[in-house]
Amino acid sequence: MKKWSFTLKNNPEEISEKLESSLGGAHLFARNKNNEDSIQFKIRKRLLVGLDGLDVDNKVILNGKIFQTGNAENGSNVEISFSKHLRLKLIVFFNIILILGFLAALILKSSSNVYIFVFGGLLLAIGVLIVLHVEKEFNHKILEYKAFISRVLEV
């Protein structure tokens, strides 16, 4: 989970309305007003396909909170945390466990054949590449969301 926070001069209601006007039509934005000083919101795309491989587009969730500062100028602090969807985490962990289990089975079955160890090393490399790919795409999507929110809120 990665966090991002910034301060704006608008009040929380105006900030929430700007976000909802830019994202509300696509059913991407949901807000929950807790009290007079803070508004919680969530931005995420709905999963369109159940097991969509390693597609990270629909699997980034933004949880945010807008709260009033103590200033008389109606400033607001915005805190946004970016997290991976649970399904993306499960897919990555399932792939890694599957690869490690297959590797263990190969090593336990083999006698002293060098090709088995080369194949096992390739399986481990594939697992590491899957994790690196998911992290790279996740960080790329975070940057896209930050640019979009900065453009909408004029940060």
Side-chain angles (χ1 to χ4, degrees), residues 59-112:
K59 296 177 178 83
V60 176
I61 300 173
L62 282 73
N63 291 317
K65 186 175 183 181
I66 308 168
F67 53 93
Q68 188 83 28
T69 59
N71 298 347
E73 12 178 89
N74 287 339
S76 299
N77 288 334
V78 180
E79 293 179 356
I80 300 175
S81 63
F82 302 92
S83 61
K84 295 177 191 153
H85 195 279
L86 178 64
R87 211 174 269 178
L88 179 64
K89 291 177 187 177
L90 289 176
I91 288 172
V92 169
F93 289 134
F94 177 74
N95 284 331
I96 289 174
I97 289 172
L98 183 70
I99 288 171
L100 288 176
F102 191 61
L103 177 65
L106 283 175
I107 290 175
L108 291 175
K109 184 195 177 297
S110 78
S111 53
S112 62

Side-chain angles (χ1 to χ4, degrees), residues 142-154:
I142 287 176
L143 291 177
E144 285 182 9
Y145 275 117
K146 281 183 177 181
F148 176 73
I149 290 172
S150 298
R151 194 171 55 243
V152 168
L153 297 179
E154 299 160 359

Side-chain angles (χ1 to χ4, degrees), residues 10-48:
N10 302 342
N11 63 13
E13 199 59 45
E14 291 175 1
I15 295 169
S16 176
E17 287 174 7
K18 282 183 182 180
L19 286 172
E20 189 170 11
S21 67
S22 63
L23 295 169
H27 304 292
L28 301 174
F29 184 80
R31 78 174 162 174
N32 183 16
K33 188 169 184 174
N34 289 347
N35 53 30
E36 292 299 320
D37 293 338
S38 70
I39 298 173
Q40 290 184 343
F41 63 91
K42 184 180 278 193
I43 301 173
R44 74 175 187 161
K45 292 182 181 178
R46 299 290 177 203
L47 292 172
L48 301 176

